Amino acid sequence: MLNFLKQVGDYAKETVQAAKYIGQGLSVTFDHMKRRPITIQYPYEKLVPSERYRGRIHFEFDKCIACEVCVRVCPINLPVVDWTFDKSTKKKTLDHYSIDFGVCIFCGNCVEYCPTNCLSMTEEYELAAYDRHELNYDNVALGRLPYKVTDDPMVTPMRELAYLPKGVMDPHELPAGSRRAGKLPEEILAELEASKTAKGDETTD
């Protein structure tokens, strides 16, 4: 009899413990139901890259003077610059320019130190290929401008939490024409210029 009561007691304890664990799991589930959805239905939905995103490099052939500064500042000496010296003009003539994005670390040094601004970072991040040799972009492929996520009619652009307007937590229901919570860099510069001008007027008075 005592053995039977002990078995019943153990079974009741296990039942209570199982119900407790189920309640804890459901509480986590219900808590996530109130949160902002973070799943993006790629490729039908894509996140809008941030303003300073360092994606694939864009190259303008006509601006390049073959100075090879990009090669010297690159941590891995990645850009390949082929040029010939024109004796009549005593200047370098660019023949070929290429970057292998299978090796590139996207540090942006080449863009920052280019004296003619012929290099720039784009928002393109879809660089998948079946053959790694396809990631070696020549000057023609580098000159191609990427298609913006916001201009693609087949894609629904989604903004990250940091770029949503104040009070909006769901990127799927973003009102048209709404602005992000923070200020744009040009707005911050304009405010600084206005404050400097105001301080200058106070000192002259």
Side-chain angles (χ1 to χ4, degrees):
M1 185 69 180
L2 292 176
N3 190 22
F4 174 74
L5 292 176
K6 184 177 180 299
Q7 290 178 352
V8 171
D10 292 341
Y11 183 78
K13 288 180 182 178
E14 291 177 1
T15 303
V16 171
Q17 193 174 16
K20 178 184 175 182
Y21 290 152
I22 292 173
Q24 289 177 351
L26 289 175
S27 65
V28 174
T29 303
F30 290 137
D31 181 60
H32 278 75
M33 287 176 63
K34 298 182 293 183
R35 297 185 184 183
R36 166 179 93 90
I38 58 174
T39 304
I40 301 298
Q41 301 298 326
Y42 184 88
Y44 308 107
E45 296 177 349
K46 294 182 182 179
L47 285 176
V48 179
S50 61
E51 294 148 0
R52 296 175 62 85
Y53 180 76
R54 295 186 296 201
R56 180 184 65 82
I57 297 172
H58 173 62
F59 174 70
E60 297 181 58
F61 189 87
D62 297 335
K63 289 185 178 180
C64 185
I65 57 176
C67 63
E68 295 185 287
V69 171
C70 54
V71 182
R72 291 195 292 271
V73 300
C74 180
I76 50 179
N77 300 326
L78 184 58
V80 177
V81 184
D82 294 332
W83 54 270
T84 54
F85 186 75
D86 191 352
K87 294 182 179 179
S88 59
T89 59
K90 295 183 179 180
K91 291 182 179 179
K92 295 179 180 179
T93 303
L94 181 66
D95 296 330
H96 182 77
Y97 189 93
S98 65
I99 295 177
D100 188 356
F101 288 110
V103 186
C104 180
I105 61 175
F106 298 93
C107 63
N109 284 348
C110 55
V111 175
E112 184 175 354
Y113 291 99
C114 181
T116 58
N117 294 325
C118 67
L119 295 171
S120 59
M121 308 296 285
T122 66
E123 62 179 33
E124 183 176 358
Y125 55 87
E126 298 172 314
L127 297 174
Y130 289 104
D131 186 1
R132 65 170 50 196
H133 297 291
E134 295 178 9
L135 296 173
N136 191 1
Y137 283 42
D138 60 0
N139 46 272
V140 178
L142 289 171
R144 178 180 54 84
L145 285 170
Y147 206 70
K148 289 185 174 292
V149 175
T150 52
D151 295 338
D152 193 346
M154 303 296 293
V155 173
T156 303
M158 316 296 289
R159 294 197 175 274
E160 295 180 7
L161 181 61
Y163 293 92
L164 292 177
K166 187 176 181 180
V168 178
M169 297 298 291
D170 189 358
H172 295 82
E173 299 176 0
L174 189 63
S178 56
R179 291 190 47 183
R180 58 177 287 186
K183 297 178 182 178
L184 295 173
E186 53 266 22
E187 294 175 343
I188 297 174
L189 290 174
E191 288 183 1
L192 290 174
E193 290 293 333
S195 62
K196 287 181 181 178
T197 306
K199 288 180 180 179
D201 294 340
E202 289 177 359
T203 53
T204 52
D205 294 341

